[in-house]
Amino acid sequence: MRFRHPDGSTVHLAYCTNVHPAETLDGVLAQLRDHCEPVRRRLGRDRLGIGLWLAKDAAHALATDPSALRGLRTELDRRGLEVVTLNGFPYEGFGAEEVKYRVYKPDWADPERLEHTTSLARVLAGLLPDDVTDGSISTLPLAWRTAWDETRADKARAALATLGERLDALQELTGRSIRIGLEPEPGCVVETTHDAIAPLGAIGHGRIGVCVDTCHLATSFEDPDEALDALEAAGIRIVKSQLSAALHAEHPSRPDVRDALAAFAEPRFLHQTRTTTATGGLRGTDDLDEALAAGGPLPDAGPWRAHFHVPLHADPAAPLTSTL
């Protein structure tokens, strides 16, 4: 959906499709039919923006087959849908029974990530509505933090610099400006918005900025005002925002709170859990069950937050809350 900002610009609000598993182009078309168009009709809107997730096979098919890309564009128009942003973080297998650490592969030190993101940019340039010239793609924040060294960091910087050059060339060819946003996430090389400033400053390309995910921001106990002000002061562009809350446990030492948290521990995704220390530092675990284990590493004198994307319109049951 489109909204008019007080400054006169247009704000695009999109329904993110990565909540619905689809690895192929046929699966994407089924998403439009079974989920996206019904949401548009339920909202009573003539047009609905969607944040499309394209797995590697679907992205490759669209990037290499102009007729397939035209067909998807036609299907979007027919169903009253439009695409101005893509979720380029998951590469494949996001609907698998167990995803966990796999979602961070390939990372930006691996050539596959550059080629996949390049394909996504070409596809998005072909999907943008006729009256829209700017699109955005969110991507993983360099890599998961383990096994990361200066050699891999150099490869990632080089890949992102190459991507910037390809995006420049794409705009010259198509007249469409596509920007990429690293999406800070707990446990990654770039966990917070502050962590993004140095590597993005080193790359120094205006087409590569930050995707602010408000659940990730809250999980890491970042203050939104401070985070956005710091990005602005550093000249780092906010490419897009993803809006949800994080799961919050005010009193994690209480048995009833721990029981409630345990109900959220599940085998598909990582649920990074964080708390702050008395000195203002951040302590965390990679997953919720690790935090809840007897004698676990997290202090429980202060609140815990866990990486669950809580809808803005729906609070979890007591005694848990969200960071809304």
Side-chain angles (χ1 to χ4, degrees), residues 148-221:
W148 187 252
D149 55 27
E150 196 56 35
T151 298
R152 294 188 67 77
D154 287 342
K155 290 180 179 180
R157 283 192 289 266
L160 287 165
T162 298
L163 177 65
E165 294 170 358
R166 292 179 180 180
L167 296 176
D168 288 341
L170 184 64
Q171 183 172 17
E172 290 183 13
L173 180 66
T174 66
R176 305 298 179 88
S177 175
I178 307 299
R179 289 184 169 84
I180 307 298
L182 302 186
E183 183 183 327
E185 178 169 314
C188 292
V189 173
V190 175
E191 170 158 340
T192 66
T193 56
H194 182 269
D195 295 337
I197 292 174
L200 289 176
I203 296 165
H205 200 291
R207 294 193 189 279
I208 302 176
V210 166
C211 168
V212 174
D213 185 297
T214 55
C215 170
H216 301 169
L217 189 89
T219 301
S220 294
F221 286 84

Side-chain angles (χ1 to χ4, degrees), residues 23-300:
E23 298 288 320
T24 65
L25 181 53
D26 284 344
V28 171
L29 294 174
Q31 284 181 342
L32 305 185
R33 180 194 67 225
D34 298 339
H35 302 290
C36 299
E37 185 179 11
V39 168
R40 178 187 65 77
R41 292 185 181 278
R42 182 172 179 178
L43 291 172
R45 293 281 184 158
D46 294 332
R47 201 146 194 86
L48 176 69
I50 58 173
L52 198 60
W53 173 58
L54 298 172
K56 69 158 186 167
D57 289 343
H60 179 75
L62 291 165
T64 57
D65 185 350
S67 64
L69 185 58
R70 288 194 300 270
L72 176 56
R73 175 71 181 270
T74 299
E75 190 71 3
L76 289 165
D77 291 340
R78 186 171 75 86
R79 298 191 182 280
L81 306 170
E82 65 181 16
V83 174
V84 299
T85 188
L86 299 178
N87 185 339
F89 195 137
Y91 182 69
E92 62 181 342
F94 200 55
E97 291 186 3
E98 182 176 335
V99 179
K100 298 290 184 181
Y101 295 95
R102 291 172 50 195
V103 75
Y104 307 106
K105 292 291 186 179
D107 62 39
W108 272 103
D110 298 321
E112 293 89 346
R113 177 59 64 172
L114 172 60
E115 298 311 315
H116 175 60
T117 309
T118 300
S119 294
L120 292 176
R122 292 170 177 160
V123 170
L124 182 56
L127 292 180
L128 288 177
D130 292 338
D131 61 343
V132 175
T133 58
D134 297 289
S136 64
I137 301 173
S138 51
T139 188
L140 85 162
L142 298 184
W144 186 252
R145 70 185 186 281
T146 56
W148 187 252
D149 55 27
E150 196 56 35
T151 298
R152 294 188 67 77
D154 287 342
K155 290 180 179 180
R157 283 192 289 266
L160 287 165
T162 298
L163 177 65
E165 294 170 358
R166 292 179 180 180
L167 296 176
D168 288 341
L170 184 64
Q171 183 172 17
E172 290 183 13
L173 180 66
T174 66
R176 305 298 179 88
S177 175
I178 307 299
R179 289 184 169 84
I180 307 298
L182 302 186
E183 183 183 327
E185 178 169 314
C188 292
V189 173
V190 175
E191 170 158 340
T192 66
T193 56
H194 182 269
D195 295 337
I197 292 174
L200 289 176
I203 296 165
H205 200 291
R207 294 193 189 279
I208 302 176
V210 166
C211 168
V212 174
D213 185 297
T214 55
C215 170
H216 301 169
L217 189 89
T219 301
S220 294
F221 286 84
E222 287 197 80
D223 178 88
D225 287 335
E226 292 178 4
L228 301 187
D229 287 347
L231 290 174
E232 183 177 12
I236 304 298
R237 185 185 182 104
I238 298 172
V239 170
K240 64 186 286 190
S241 299
Q242 296 173 169
L243 306 179
S244 62
L247 190 66
H248 182 91
E250 184 67 22
H251 302 289
S253 62
R254 285 172 27 188
D256 62 325
V257 174
R258 298 180 81 89
D259 288 344
L261 284 170
F264 280 85
E266 52 85 30
R268 174 172 288 181
F269 299 114
L270 283 183
H271 298 291
Q272 301 92 316
T273 306
R274 298 290 185 265
T275 189
T276 55
T277 64
T279 58
L282 198 65
R283 291 277 299 277
T285 59
D286 286 356
D287 216 344
L288 179 58
D289 53 3
E290 181 185 352
L292 291 170
L298 285 194
D300 57 11

